[in-house]
Amino acid sequence: MSEWISVKDKLPDFIDGKDYSENVLGVYIGYQEKQYVQVFNRAVVEIDEDGYQWSWARLASCYGDLRQAECEWDDDYTVTHWMPLPLPPSIKAYPPA
């Protein structure tokens, strides 16, 4: 598994031709100053004459592969560290034959 990357060192790249990054695991400081881990992406929230402004988007109500899922999002988070999501495990037929 990857190591945590500080947002001071690097941010997730936007997907070519899109205004958001692939989904990543992100660490943020939340309720009672505790650290939490959640799935996030980096998304453009506003475009103005100075360029664009982006925000971390916490993913919820996702459909499909979490690496590129369509999700509702909430942008009220300050992420301190992130890492790429691991590949999902291969799924064998259930119930086992």
Side-chain angles (χ1 to χ4, degrees), residues 6-18:
S6 171
V7 298
K8 293 177 182 177
D9 296 333
K10 184 177 180 192
L11 294 170
D13 294 327
F14 289 120
I15 297 170
D16 287 340
K18 304 288 184 181

Side-chain angles (χ1 to χ4, degrees), residues 6 11 16 18 23 25 28 30 40 45-46 49 51 55 57-59 61 67 76 78 93-94:
S6 171
L11 294 170
D16 287 340
K18 304 288 184 181
N23 298 333
L25 287 178
Y28 68 99
F40 286 89
V45 292
E46 182 179 324
E49 64 276 355
S55 179
R58 181 183 65 87
L59 306 181
S61 303
R67 293 173 66 82
D76 192 24
T78 301
Y94 188 79

Side-chain angles (χ1 to χ4, degrees), residues 40-60:
F40 286 89
N41 71 15
R42 181 176 162 231
V44 171
V45 292
E46 182 179 324
I47 299 175
D48 58 24
E49 64 276 355
D50 297 326
Y52 61 84
Q53 296 178 358
W54 63 270
S55 179
W56 288 101
R58 181 183 65 87
L59 306 181

Side-chain angles (χ1 to χ4, degrees), residues 46-89:
E46 182 179 324
I47 299 175
D48 58 24
E49 64 276 355
D50 297 326
Y52 61 84
Q53 296 178 358
W54 63 270
S55 179
W56 288 101
R58 181 183 65 87
L59 306 181
S61 303
C62 295
Y63 305 95
D65 178 355
L66 275 182
R67 293 173 66 82
Q68 295 183 354
E70 294 293 325
C71 303
E72 296 175 18
W73 56 278
D74 177 357
D75 63 357
D76 192 24
Y77 298 90
T78 301
V79 173
T80 62
H81 293 78
W82 65 277
M83 72 168 61
L85 287 175
L87 293 172

